[in-house]
């Protein structure tokens, strides 16, 4: 019996030692690598105020480059929007994140986004985004996009006729937002009436401004205003959805005319149809993504073409060749868009210098090692477009405007990332290309222009915009549009 107890004790000791060994071995790799260098700033708020304030001051890249110089040009730690975070920099950081999507990292949004976009199905913004990405390809595939060109041209003609022509001066950013929002309403909801579009356009501006902000829900804060705007827009969308149900039932609407009809008539794998509020949630996100970033890009195209006459002349020459090839009343076609190569190079250089998407967050799915540093599970990871876009390592003379950077095969992989990359590359990239090029076509064939405020400040909130909206003085070509 004594022998039995001794044996049992030895077995127990052996198992404890074995457990300790595996526990030590499992954590050895994580323990043997340090966290990235950097600081976490103030309690609770971390470095969020400095991160946001450099954008408000017009130099969002300063937060990134200051820390790249002080800590590491590849990765540094910080504390943003209430979370421990690592900032990945450069092409190697972009490649690592984009290549490991849903393996080592996954998309992450601050809690403020879930509060501004409260899903009616009680799922997270991340889960709703996954559902949307599965639904979008049918509406953004090449054959669908080809059909959008004529619609975009028609809306652009109406937009320029009502908002630009017969004006000596205009403020560009509100007009650019009106153009891209009108297109999104028409193509996603079949809402084309300008008065209907204008009814809730202003609320989208409030929503966008408070989306990435410090989540303080007190009256008057950007976050509080964003929540109120989100609720107002959702009610407006539900009214549109209810009317579409009636129109579909009476044969006044088509099952394939837009993404709203598709959502109403498509069931999931269990045979369930989406509820009205669920559809409103998804359309709300689509309308934000479908117009906000492109309006910033269009505004900066106007800015740079005003500052660079030789670039303007190149775009004007290309667009006029296309305009002169069209018959009276003939709309632009897909083939015309493919001829706008120089214009798109110009737009890409604008997107490099003033990327609407400054960067994005990911979340570590497990502990992993990057560039000799440990990234703990649950940490948030931020990648910055400016860490490559404005780096002389990847773009010589990075502040110089040079569309030829995009000739041939263009920039090196993972260096030009205005639309992200990997599995999470913006699914609307080609849609954005179309609406930007149609805008450029109608703009330059009608006008030349000067900036009224030569040194107008740029602010980032959360996208770059001129502080005064970019007022310009117009000079018409006196051409029949």
């Amino acid at each position: 019996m004594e022998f039995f107890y001794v044996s049992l004790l030895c077995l127990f000791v052996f198992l404890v030692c074995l457990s300790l060994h595996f526990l030590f071995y499992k954590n050895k790799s994580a323990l043997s690598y340090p966290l990235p260098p950097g600081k976490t700033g103030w309690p609770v708020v971390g470095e969020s105020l400095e991160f946001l304030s450099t954008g408000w001051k017009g130099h969002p890249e300063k937060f990134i480059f200051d820390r790249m110089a002080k800590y590491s040009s590849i990765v540094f730690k910080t504390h943003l929007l209430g979370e421990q975070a690592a900032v990945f920099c450069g092409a190697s950081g972009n490649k690592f994140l984009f290549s490991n999507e849903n393996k080592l990292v996954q998309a992450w949004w601050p809690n403020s986004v879930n509060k501004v976009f409260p899903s009616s199905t009680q799922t997270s913004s991340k889960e709703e985004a996954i559902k949307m990405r599965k639904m979008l390809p049918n509406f953004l595939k090449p054959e669908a996009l080809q059909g959008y060109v004529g619609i975009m041209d028609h809306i652009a003609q109406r937009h320029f006729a009502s908002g630009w022509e017969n004006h000596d001066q205009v403020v560009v950013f509100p007009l650019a937002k009106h153009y891209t929002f009108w297109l999104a309403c028409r193509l996603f909801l079949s809402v084309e009436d300008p008065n209907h579009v204008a009814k809730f356009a202003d609320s989208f501006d409030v929503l966008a401004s408070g989306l990435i902000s410090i989540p303080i829900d007190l009256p008057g804060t950007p976050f509080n205003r964003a929540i109120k705007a989100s609720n107002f827009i959702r009610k407006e969308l539900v009214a549109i959805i209810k009317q579409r149900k009636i129109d579909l039932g009476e044969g006044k609407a088509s099952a394939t005319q837009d993404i709203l009809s598709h959502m109403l008539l498509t069931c999931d794998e269990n045979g369930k149809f989406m509820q009205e509020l669920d559809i409103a949630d998804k359309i709300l996100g689509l309308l934000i993504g479908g117009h906000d970033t492109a309006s910033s890009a269009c505004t900066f195209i106007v800015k740079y073409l005003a500052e660079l006459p030789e670039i303007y002349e190149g775009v004007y020459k290309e667009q006029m060749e296309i305009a002169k090839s069209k018959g009276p009343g003939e709309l632009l076609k897909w083939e015309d868009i493919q001829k706008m190569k120089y214009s798109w190079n110009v737009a890409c250089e604008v997107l490099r210098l003033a990327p609407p998407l400054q960067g994005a967050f990911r979340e570590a799915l497990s502990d992993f090692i990057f560039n000799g540093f440990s990234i703990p599970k649950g940490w948030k990871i931020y990648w910055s477009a400016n860490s490559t876009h404005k780096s002389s390592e990847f773009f010589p003379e990075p502040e110089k405007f040079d569309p030829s950077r995009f000739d041939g095969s263009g920039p090196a992989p993972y260096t030009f990332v205005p639309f992200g990359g990997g599995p999470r590359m913006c699914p609307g990239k080609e849609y954005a290309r179309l609406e930007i090029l149609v805008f450029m076509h109608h703009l330059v064939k009608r006008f030349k222009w000067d900036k009224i405020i030569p040194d107008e400040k740029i602010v980032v909130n959360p996208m770059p915009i001129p502080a005064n909206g970019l007022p310009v003085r117009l000079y018409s070509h006196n051409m029949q549009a």
Side-chain angles (χ1 to χ4, degrees):
M1 181 68 73
E2 183 178 340
F3 177 77
F4 173 76
Y5 284 117
V6 170
S7 301
L8 192 63
L9 179 61
C10 291
L11 179 62
F12 175 74
V13 171
F14 172 76
L15 290 174
V16 169
C17 291
L18 189 66
S19 299
L20 289 172
H21 169 76
F22 279 113
L23 184 64
F24 174 76
Y25 181 80
K26 178 181 178 183
N27 289 310
K28 184 178 180 181
S29 61
L31 292 171
S32 60
Y33 290 91
L35 294 173
K39 63 178 183 178
T40 54
W42 296 95
V44 183
V45 298
E47 295 192 294
S48 300
L49 289 176
E50 190 173 352
F51 176 72
L52 295 170
S53 68
T54 54
W56 300 333
K57 295 173 183 177
H59 303 285
E61 69 278 7
K62 182 175 174 18
F63 180 90
I64 303 297
F65 283 117
D66 283 355
R67 285 155 181 77
M68 288 175 67
K70 186 174 182 179
Y71 301 119
S72 166
S73 62
I74 304 296
V75 57
F76 61 85
K77 71 179 178 184
T78 181
H79 191 284
L80 298 175
L81 305 177
E83 300 284 350
Q84 291 270 24
V87 178
F88 282 30
C89 308
S92 61
N94 292 341
K95 180 179 180 180
F96 183 91
L97 291 179
F98 299 159
S99 302
N100 284 287
E101 189 73 44
N102 299 322
K103 300 173 187 174
L104 295 177
V105 299
Q106 64 181 0
W108 178 82
W109 288 268
N111 286 333
S112 59
V113 176
N114 282 327
K115 291 179 181 178
V116 173
F117 293 117
S119 171
S120 59
T121 58
Q122 302 304 309
T123 57
S124 68
S125 295
K126 177 180 66 181
E127 292 169 309
E128 291 304 302
I130 292 171
K131 293 178 184 178
M132 276 306 309
R133 293 181 77 88
K134 291 179 179 178
M135 189 178 294
L136 282 175
N138 286 335
F139 298 91
L140 299 173
K141 57 188 178 184
E143 50 266 42
L145 290 168
Q146 291 179 31
Y148 297 160
V149 176
I151 297 171
M152 289 181 173
D153 192 18
H154 172 67
I155 296 293
Q157 288 183 29
R158 295 178 62 184
H159 167 75
F160 277 92
S162 62
W164 296 70
E165 292 174 2
N166 301 315
H167 290 78
D168 296 327
Q169 299 180 11
V170 296
V171 181
V172 175
F173 183 61
L175 285 173
K177 287 187 74 69
H178 180 260
Y179 162 73
T180 58
F181 190 62
W182 195 352
L183 283 180
C185 287
R186 168 62 183 83
L187 290 168
F188 299 155
L189 298 170
S190 297
V191 172
E192 191 168 333
D193 175 41
N195 294 324
H196 199 176
V197 172
K199 188 174 182 181
F200 55 106
D202 289 344
S203 295
F204 271 89
D205 298 342
V206 176
L207 174 56
S209 295
L211 194 56
I212 303 297
S213 61
I214 297 174
I216 300 175
D217 190 7
L218 294 175
T221 63
F223 182 63
N224 177 265
R225 292 197 297 268
I227 292 174
K228 290 180 178 178
S230 171
N231 292 334
F232 172 79
I233 295 167
R234 194 175 282 103
K235 289 178 182 178
E236 292 293 318
L237 290 173
V238 168
I240 293 172
I241 293 165
K242 289 181 181 295
Q243 184 59 49
R244 176 62 61 84
K245 279 185 171 180
I246 295 170
D247 291 345
L248 285 168
E250 296 177 351
K252 296 178 181 178
S254 163
T256 58
Q257 71 184 52
D258 56 29
I259 199 166
L260 174 56
S261 286
H262 178 79
M263 287 181 177
L264 282 168
L265 297 173
T266 302
C267 59
D268 63 16
E269 61 273 13
N270 299 316
K272 294 183 178 180
F273 291 89
M274 279 190 280
Q275 300 297 311
E276 291 175 357
L277 277 174
D278 191 18
I279 294 173
D281 290 337
K282 290 179 172 56
I283 293 290
L284 177 57
L286 263 183
L287 289 173
I288 286 282
H291 90 283
D292 235 19
T293 53
S295 60
S296 174
C298 288
T299 300
F300 278 88
I301 285 168
V302 176
K303 173 186 181 293
Y304 283 109
L305 291 185
E307 296 170 351
L308 303 163
E310 69 282 6
I311 303 295
Y312 172 91
E313 288 301 324
V315 174
Y316 178 72
K317 179 181 177 182
E318 181 175 80
Q319 295 297 342
M320 287 310 298
E321 288 178 2
I322 294 169
K324 290 173 181 176
S325 72
K326 311 302 291 183
E330 184 182 358
L331 295 172
L332 289 172
K333 297 178 181 178
W334 179 258
E335 293 74 19
D336 298 315
I337 299 293
Q338 307 317 306
K339 296 175 184 176
M340 301 180 185
K341 294 181 179 178
Y342 179 76
S343 297
W344 183 240
N345 282 357
V346 169
C348 285
E349 183 68 339
V350 170
L351 290 169
R352 182 185 72 82
L353 287 166
L357 179 69
Q358 296 290 299
F361 285 97
R362 298 288 188 270
E363 181 178 35
L365 290 170
S366 61
D367 296 346
F368 64 84
I369 306 302
F370 174 69
N371 199 52
F373 295 108
S374 173
I375 308 297
K377 178 182 178 180
W379 266 39
K380 307 310 178 276
I381 302 165
Y382 182 77
W383 64 267
S384 164
N386 285 317
S387 77
T388 54
H389 285 198
K390 295 190 176 180
S391 169
S392 58
E393 178 184 354
F394 308 112
F395 296 96
E397 298 182 84
E399 296 302 324
K400 180 182 178 182
F401 194 98
D402 183 7
S404 70
R405 302 180 197 271
F406 298 90
D407 289 339
S409 58
Y414 304 105
T415 61
F416 179 63
V417 289
F419 299 100
R424 288 200 53 77
M425 178 178 283
C426 174
K429 175 184 176 182
E430 282 300 303
Y431 173 89
R433 185 174 78 97
L434 295 185
E435 63 182 334
I436 289 169
L437 288 173
V438 170
F439 176 85
M440 293 176 75
H441 176 79
H442 283 277
L443 176 71
V444 300
K445 82 172 187 178
R446 285 170 167 80
F447 307 110
K448 291 193 76 169
W449 57 92
D450 292 327
K451 290 166 59 180
I452 292 175
I453 307 173
D455 55 352
E456 185 174 359
K457 180 185 175 184
I458 304 301
V459 296
V460 178
N461 188 29
M463 294 178 304
I465 56 173
N468 299 98
L470 191 63
V472 298
R473 187 173 292 105
L474 297 175
Y475 306 98
S476 175
H477 290 310
N478 295 316
M479 176 186 171
Q480 186 72 30

